[in-house]
Amino acid sequence: MTTQEDIARALGISLMTVYRYLSGSGKVSAKTSARIDEYIREHNYRPNLMARALKTRRSNLIGLLMPSFSYSYYPEIIESIRSTLGDKYNLLLCLSGESAESELKELEMLLTIPVDGILMSPVRGDRSVEHCRYLDKHNVPYVLFDRYFPEDKLACSYVTTDCVNESRKLVHYLYGLGHRKIAHLGGTPDESFSRSMLEGYKLGLADCNLPWDEKLVKQGELSTEVGCSLLKEWYDDKLPFTALHAANDPLAIGALEACRSLGVKVPQELSITGFSDIVIARNVYVPLTTVQEATAMIGRIAAETLIKAIENPGENTKNKVLLPGTFVERESCCSIEK
C-alpha cells in the first residue's frame, strides 16, 4: 500500500511537504501540488484515516446518527449537511432504529474510529440524554437536529423547527375559518416533537378562548395507519368536531384515508391540517394544508454549528436554534359558519 513516505521518496520532496498538501495545513506550490496529485492518482493512494487520526488527533470524519432513513424529511437534511461539510469532512451515516441500545452502540463505535464530531437526531424517550452526557465525558463535540431536550434535562446545541409556535398558529388558522371544535391527533409524549405539537395546540386553544377537552385529543405512533385507526375511533364515538389538528402529515393522511372510507367529506365536513409538508401531502386525493419545515436550513446550521465547535474547542458556546416553518394552504380546509 502506498504511503506518504513513498510519495516523498518517489518525487524527491520532503515528507513534510507531502503532509502539508494532503492535510491542507500549509502552502504547497502549484507545480509540486500537481506532481503529488498525478502520483496519487497513478498509484491509487488512499490515506490511512486511523493513522492520521493518531498523529493529528483529527480524522476529518463526522458521524451522522439518526433513527431511520425512512423519515421522508431526512434526505434533504442529509444532503444539506453533506453540502455544508464540503471536501473538508467526510460523513459517516449510522442508524439507531429508534433503539436506545443501538444508539449507544453506534456512538461507541463512532468514538473508536474516531470521529471529530457527531450530528445526532436522538431516539424517542429520554435515554439519549445519558448518551449525550457520555459524549460530553469524552469531549466529543455534537449537535442535535430535529429532536432535542429541554434545558433542564440537557444543555447542548440543537437545531430544529419551532414546532410549538407553528402548531399554535395552525390552531389560529382553523379558528379563523370559524372552527370552534378542533381536535388534536398527536404522537406519543416520549418524543420532543410530539410534546411540542401538543403544547402548541394547547396554547392555540387558550389564545382563541377555546376550552381544553381531553376527549378531543388522541395520541399514538406518527404513522398513516395510526392516523386512520384513531380517526375511525372518534367517529365510532360520534364526537363533534369540525377540524383536525394533526401533529404530522402521515397522521393527517391517515385521517384522510379514514374519512374516505367513512364517507366523510373533506373539507366540507372536516377540515384537516398536517405538519412537515412531505411529498405525498400535495398528491393525496385532497391536497393537505400543512407547515413546511426548513429542512435544508436545519442541516446547514447543524453542520456549521458542529464545525465551529470542532475548530474552536475553547469557546464552548451552545447554539440553540428554533427555525420558523412556512404555512402551505391547500384544499383540506375550508371555512364554516360561525
Side-chain angles (χ1 to χ4, degrees):
M1 182 175 68
T2 302
T3 66
Q4 292 185 25
E5 288 83 358
D6 294 332
I7 299 171
R9 189 181 306 111
L11 299 180
I13 59 178
S14 70
L15 180 60
M16 183 56 68
T17 299
V18 176
Y19 170 77
R20 283 201 304 268
Y21 175 73
L22 294 176
S23 65
S25 60
K27 290 185 178 180
V28 179
S29 72
K31 182 178 179 180
T32 301
S33 297
R35 291 179 67 206
I36 296 173
D37 265 341
E38 183 179 1
Y39 186 90
I40 63 179
R41 282 197 304 270
E42 289 179 355
H43 294 81
N44 197 30
Y45 169 76
R46 294 291 182 271
N48 186 322
L49 294 178
M50 292 289 285
R52 183 172 69 183
L54 289 171
K55 288 180 181 180
T56 66
R57 297 188 179 182
R58 291 279 293 276
S59 65
N60 294 94
L61 282 173
I62 299 295
L64 175 58
L65 178 57
M66 56 191 188
S68 172
F69 286 137
S70 65
Y71 299 161
S72 61
Y73 46 88
Y74 278 160
E76 188 173 4
I77 293 177
I78 295 169
E79 179 56 31
S80 179
I81 289 171
R82 189 204 61 76
S83 176
T84 304
L85 296 177
D87 295 331
K88 195 168 187 180
Y89 293 93
N90 295 303
L91 201 58
L92 183 59
L93 273 62
C94 303
L95 299 178
S96 64
E98 291 289 11
S99 163
E101 291 76 14
S102 294
E103 181 179 83
L104 181 57
K105 288 180 181 178
E106 294 295 325
L107 290 174
E108 290 173 339
M109 179 273 295
L110 289 172
L111 265 60
T112 61
I113 287 176
V115 294
D116 293 337
I118 294 173
L119 295 165
M120 181 169 75
S121 180
V123 299
R124 296 190 187 106
D126 293 335
R127 290 183 62 183
S128 291
V129 172
E130 292 303 318
H131 300 166
C132 291
R133 289 175 181 155
Y134 168 77
L135 296 178
D136 286 329
K137 181 181 177 180
H138 287 82
N139 297 313
V140 178
Y142 65 93
V143 176
L144 303 185
F145 67 92
D146 188 44
R147 300 174 181 176
Y148 69 106
F149 300 99
E151 186 74 17
D152 60 346
K153 289 189 177 181
L154 182 70
C156 73
S157 294
Y158 59 78
V159 186
T160 188
T161 303
D162 187 356
C163 298
V164 173
N165 196 43
E166 297 302 326
S167 171
R168 186 178 192 169
K169 289 191 289 188
L170 284 172
V171 176
H172 296 173
Y173 167 73
L174 292 169
Y175 181 85
L177 293 176
H179 298 281
R180 299 298 180 262
K181 288 287 186 178
I182 303 170
H184 174 71
L185 190 56
T188 55
D190 62 351
E191 193 266 307
S192 62
F193 168 76
S194 299
R195 291 194 298 267
S196 296
M197 292 301 292
L198 179 61
E199 182 183 350
Y201 168 74
K202 289 179 178 179
L203 290 171
L205 292 180
D207 294 340
C208 300
N209 294 314
L210 296 177
W212 164 261
D213 184 350
E214 63 181 18
K215 292 181 180 179
L216 295 183
V217 175
K218 286 186 182 291
Q219 295 175 292
E221 292 297 317
L222 296 165
S223 69
T224 300
E225 295 76 17
V226 169
C228 183
S229 64
L230 290 181
L231 191 84
K232 287 180 177 179
E233 286 181 14
W234 257 319
Y235 271 86
D236 287 343
D237 295 335
K238 295 181 174 59
L239 290 175
F241 55 87
T242 61
L244 180 66
H245 174 278
N248 74 346
D249 289 346
L251 283 173
I253 291 166
L256 280 170
E257 291 181 0
C259 287
R260 181 155 59 176
S261 68
L262 292 166
V264 176
K265 295 179 181 179
V266 178
Q268 295 89 341
E269 296 178 84
L270 180 66
S271 289
I272 300 176
T273 61
F275 198 91
S276 285
D277 195 29
I278 62 177
V279 174
I280 195 174
R282 66 204 71 168
N283 297 322
V284 285
Y285 78 98
V286 181
L288 188 63
T289 293
T290 185
V291 170
Q292 184 180 80
E293 296 189 78
T295 48
M297 193 176 294
I298 289 173
R300 177 178 61 78
I301 295 175
E304 290 174 345
T305 301
L306 183 61
I307 292 171
K308 185 176 180 181
I310 292 169
E311 299 181 353
N312 302 278
E315 291 190 9
N316 196 30
T317 301
K318 305 301 181 187
N319 192 27
K320 302 171 178 62
V321 180
L322 293 174
L323 295 171
T326 301
F327 178 67
V328 181
E329 188 172 30
R330 296 196 180 101
E331 299 167 28
S332 63
C333 297
C334 71
S335 61
I336 62 172
E337 292 184 6
K338 300 179 182 179

